[in-house]
């Protein structure tokens, strides 16, 4: 596995593959790789001639007071996992290479980015869109792979690629979960051992109950949302419910009526740890 730190070198490497008619798969990550990340990697390897995984903790998607400085890191472990998986290239730039002195560009993603998580993390998805645009341009990827746990991020990046006519297929991949349903996330490492880890399973349990109410019992979105919020509120270690509801799969607007398709999404804090999840009903 080649490790590249300089954007121009990464771009030249990928260009060589594309000029030979080879597909390039891209898996953008912030590191601390878990089974969810590795499922994206396997999908890329199976569908492309050349797979690039990036590890970059992107400062522009963190707001004031968020966990940029304390975000978990495990470079040695990540490199070992990627080598074992057969990844062709690891792109691991420094922040100064991605945002050199005088860097002034940014992408504004509009209403879609302001809903759900965007309402609680102003500017977050603009930072995501900016760095993903750079990663797409640097890797010259044919396909890019994202987990559906963060369904809003997936939609934002799909919209980004469509709006800017990027020749990239954005592929959404199923969420990988722990045995109790908790979506795998690097931030799960923040959950302490005083019951927070067990309490964190409440989010998926609530979303799953809401999905069953819609799909199997003919309940309305408002009834499902009420029950989801009640289930989450009953967990004493939940310190904040930012949102939990039933939304349109394309726009993330709240659904007044269920017609066969919906995304149920939520964001909660367990102690100081912010967790998000989503369940698709189709």
């Amino acid at each position: 596995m080649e490790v590249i730190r300089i954007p121009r070198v990464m771009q030249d490497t990928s260009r060589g593959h594309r000029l030979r008619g080879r597909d390039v798969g891209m898996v953008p990550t912030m590191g601390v790789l878990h089974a969810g990340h590795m499922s994206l990697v396997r999908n890329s390897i199976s569908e492309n001639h050349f797979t690039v995984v990036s590890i970059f903790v992107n400062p522009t998607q963190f707001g004031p007071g968020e966990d940029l400085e304390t975000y978990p890191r495990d470079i040695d472990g990540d490199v070992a996992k990627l080598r074992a998986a057969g990844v062709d290239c690891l792109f691991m730039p420094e922040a100064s290479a991605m945002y050199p002195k005088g860097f002034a560009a940014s992408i504004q993603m509009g209403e879609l980015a302001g809903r759900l998580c965007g309402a609680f993390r102003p500017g977050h998805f603009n930072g995501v869109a900016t760095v993903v645009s750079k990663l797409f341009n640097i890797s010259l990827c044919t396909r890019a792979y994202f987990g559906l746990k963060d369904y809003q991020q997936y939609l934002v990046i799909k919209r980004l690629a469509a709006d800017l006519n990027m020749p990239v297929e954005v592929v959404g991949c199923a969420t990988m979960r722990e045995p109790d349903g908790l979506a795998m996330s690097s931030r799960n490492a923040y959950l302490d051992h005083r019951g927070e880890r067990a309490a964190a399973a409440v989010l998926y349990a609530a979303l799953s109950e809401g999905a069953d109410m819609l799909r199997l019992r003919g309940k309305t979105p408002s009834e499902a949302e009420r029950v989801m919020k009640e289930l989450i509120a009953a967990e004493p270690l939940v310190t904040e419910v930012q949102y939990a509801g039933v939304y349109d799969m394309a726009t993330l607007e709240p659904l007044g009526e269920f017609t066969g398709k919906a995304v149920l999404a939520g964001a909660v804090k367990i102690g100081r740890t912010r967790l998000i999840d989503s369940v698709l009903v189709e």
Side-chain angles (χ1 to χ4, degrees):
M1 181 178 72
E2 186 175 9
V3 179
I4 297 177
R5 293 183 175 274
I6 300 172
R8 178 53 60 86
V9 174
M10 182 71 256
Q11 195 172 58
D12 288 345
T13 299
S14 289
R15 182 179 291 110
H17 290 280
R18 294 299 302 270
L19 288 174
R20 296 198 299 274
R22 307 185 79 208
D23 290 337
V24 174
M26 176 73 177
V27 182
T29 84
M30 295 205 299
V32 194
L33 304 180
H34 49 66
H37 294 116
M38 300 314 295
S39 71
L40 306 182
V41 169
R42 288 192 297 273
N43 286 342
S44 179
I45 290 173
S46 71
E47 296 175 0
N48 301 279
H49 300 98
F50 183 76
T51 288
V52 180
V53 175
S54 66
I55 295 178
F56 179 62
V57 180
N58 174 42
T60 67
Q61 69 190 68
F62 289 80
E66 293 189 338
D67 57 341
L68 173 60
E69 298 303 323
T70 60
Y71 193 84
R73 291 164 171 82
D74 181 20
I75 296 302
D76 290 343
D78 291 344
V79 168
K81 290 174 184 176
L82 296 176
R83 287 190 191 279
V87 167
D88 299 294
C89 182
L90 168 60
F91 178 52
M92 195 164 55
E94 298 291 339
S96 59
M98 294 293 281
Y99 301 108
K101 185 176 180 180
F103 185 91
S106 65
I107 293 178
Q108 308 298 309
M109 288 305 300
E111 290 185 2
L112 181 63
R115 299 184 176 124
L116 304 188
C117 284
F120 297 89
R121 305 184 69 188
H124 167 71
F125 287 113
N126 294 335
V128 169
T130 299
V131 77
V132 167
S133 296
K134 289 177 68 67
L135 290 171
F136 285 0
N137 287 334
I138 291 166
S139 69
L140 301 176
C141 56
T142 314
R143 300 177 186 88
Y145 297 80
F146 297 87
L148 292 177
K149 177 197 75 171
D150 191 341
Y151 184 77
Q152 184 175 15
Q153 175 178 267
Y154 165 71
L155 283 188
V156 166
I157 293 168
K158 290 265 287 186
R159 172 53 54 195
L160 169 74
D163 285 357
L164 298 185
N165 303 103
M166 294 178 172
V168 180
E169 179 185 354
V170 178
V171 182
C173 301
T175 304
M176 297 292 289
R177 300 185 179 278
E178 303 289 353
D180 63 357
L182 177 65
M184 292 183 179
S185 169
S186 299
R187 286 191 169 98
N188 291 349
Y190 293 154
L191 297 167
D192 67 20
H193 299 290
R194 297 190 299 273
E196 288 184 358
R197 170 59 189 81
V202 71
L203 179 55
Y204 178 64
L207 296 179
S208 297
E209 176 65 18
D212 286 346
M213 291 177 67
L214 295 176
R215 183 173 44 210
L216 303 177
R217 297 176 223 156
K219 301 298 183 179
T220 66
S222 62
E223 290 172 318
E225 180 173 332
R226 176 180 56 79
V227 169
M228 288 192 296
K229 289 181 175 178
E230 288 175 353
L231 290 171
I232 294 169
E235 170 50 63
L237 294 185
V238 172
T239 54
E240 182 181 356
V241 181
Q242 293 188 341
Y243 64 86
V246 182
Y247 306 98
D248 182 273
M249 292 183 69
T251 66
L252 298 183
E253 293 179 347
L255 274 187
E257 180 182 2
F258 178 64
T259 57
K261 291 185 178 182
V263 56
L264 293 85
V268 303
K269 286 189 176 181
I270 305 288
R272 297 182 178 181
T273 305
R274 185 178 187 272
L275 301 174
I276 62 172
D277 204 350
S278 62
V279 171
L280 306 183
V281 178
E282 298 184 78

